[in-house]
């Protein structure tokens, strides 16, 4: 039996926060429904990242959204963290399945800040390795410490 749940979608391109229906697979799994929602503007499919947002809720978002050309991407800030792309918020049950989002839309909206791509600043991921002499080498992904509109990863 197929099941539907009501999630909350944060869409930074449209700058909307609204209920979103997810159609789960007959076995109750939600992966395809989450991927379809998160990549709704894109022909590509990539990894989705699960970010805990508190109160038994998780946010699913494009794990590689920052690599999409920033002119084609939407950004938002939730709390102190910047995110790229569409996000879907759901609750989780005691057996770790997803369920309806129970957070009020107004509460989510009060905590989301829309960002213009030209104003985004994201610390670049760091890879550190230890050299044979014991010193640490630090390498920044895409060769810089901070990604910006003028210095975005490609």
């Amino acid at each position: 039996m197929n099941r539907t749940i009501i999630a909350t979608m944060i869409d930074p391109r449209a700058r909307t926060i609204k209920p979103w229906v997810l159609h789960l697979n007959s076995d109750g799994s939600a992966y395809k429904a989450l991927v379809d929602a998160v990549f709704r503007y894109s022909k590509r499919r990539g990894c989705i990242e699960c970010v805990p947002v508190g109160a038994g809720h998780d946010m699913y978002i494009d794990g590689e959204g920052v690599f999409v050309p920033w002119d084609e991407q939407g950004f938002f800030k939730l709390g102190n963290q910047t995110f790229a792309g569409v996000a879907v918020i759901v609750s989780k049950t005691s057996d770790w399945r997803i369920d309806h989002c129970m957070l009020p839309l107004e509460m989510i909206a009060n905590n989301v800040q829309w960002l213009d791509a030209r104003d985004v600043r994201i610390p670049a991921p760091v890879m550190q390795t230890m050299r044979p002499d014991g010193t640490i080498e630090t390498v920044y992904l895409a060769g810089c410490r901070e990604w910006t509109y003028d210095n975005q990863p490609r």
Side-chain angles (χ1 to χ4, degrees), residues 13-141:
R13 284 178 63 177
R15 295 194 172 197
T16 60
I17 299 168
K18 62 186 177 186
W20 190 260
V21 177
L22 294 176
H23 300 280
L24 308 187
N25 290 342
S26 58
D27 64 358
S29 64
Y31 184 76
K32 183 181 181 324
L34 290 167
V35 167
D36 289 347
V38 167
F39 293 103
R40 67 182 294 214
Y41 291 118
S42 177
K43 292 179 184 170
R44 75 178 181 83
R45 294 291 186 257
C47 69
I48 56 175
E49 182 178 345
C50 178
V51 178
V53 294
H57 285 70
D58 292 327
M59 180 173 74
Y60 290 87
I61 192 156
D62 181 355
E64 299 165 345
V66 73
F67 296 107
V68 173
W70 289 17
D71 285 332
E72 301 168 18
Q73 186 60 284
F75 294 88
F76 67 96
K77 190 176 270 196
L78 181 63
N80 292 324
Q81 192 168 355
T82 299
F83 296 97
V86 173
V88 177
I89 298 176
V90 293
S91 67
K92 58 184 172 228
T93 64
S94 59
D95 61 352
W96 296 95
R97 292 185 179 269
I98 71 165
D99 207 350
H100 302 284
C101 179
M102 303 306 288
L103 300 174
L105 286 174
E106 300 77 29
M107 187 192 82
I108 297 170
N110 288 338
N111 287 284
V112 167
Q113 177 186 356
W114 305 119
L115 300 173
D116 183 277
R118 293 186 180 277
D119 298 327
V120 171
R121 304 253 179 284
I122 300 175
V126 175
M127 183 175 70
Q128 292 186 320
T129 56
M130 184 177 288
R131 297 183 183 118
D133 66 3
T135 59
I136 301 291
E137 176 184 17
T138 301
V139 177
Y140 292 91
L141 193 59

